[in-house]
């Protein structure tokens, strides 16, 4: 996963761990949405992480981020 925009650049593994995904706090995020979890397990390009939902939610809450885990096709809640 590579993210580049003004003032920030990240180059992390293509399959981030749930804890790495929760690092959205570094971008000033207050909410993070896990996508594609439980949809693919295609090593070595994508390796499904064990206990992903629980680990992501725990890591997000620890960082002060509200986690959203939505099913494929489910609407992502947005707070305005």
């Amino acid at each position: 996963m590579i993210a580049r925009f003004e003032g920030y650049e990240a180059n992390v593994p293509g399959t981030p761990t749930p804890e790495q995904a929760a690092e959205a706090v570094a971008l000033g995020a207050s909410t993070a949405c896990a996508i594609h979890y439980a949809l693919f397990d295609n090593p070595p390009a994508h390796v499904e992480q064990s206990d992903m939902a629980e680990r992501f939610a725990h890591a997000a809450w620890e960082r002060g981020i509200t986690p959203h885990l939505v099913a494929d096709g489910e609407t992502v809640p947005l707070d305005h």
Side-chain angles (χ1 to χ4, degrees), residues 23-75:
E23 286 300 324
V25 71
L27 306 175
S30 61
T31 301
C33 181
I35 59 171
H36 299 150
Y37 75 95
L39 292 177
F40 308 103
D41 190 18
N42 186 22
H46 181 86
V47 178
E48 189 66 33
Q49 298 283 319
S50 63
D51 302 324
M52 179 273 164
E54 295 82 11
R55 289 171 52 203
F56 175 74
H58 179 75
W61 286 122
E62 279 190 331
R63 291 159 175 80
I65 296 174
T66 302
H68 290 287
L69 295 137
V70 296
D72 187 29
E74 188 176 347
T75 302

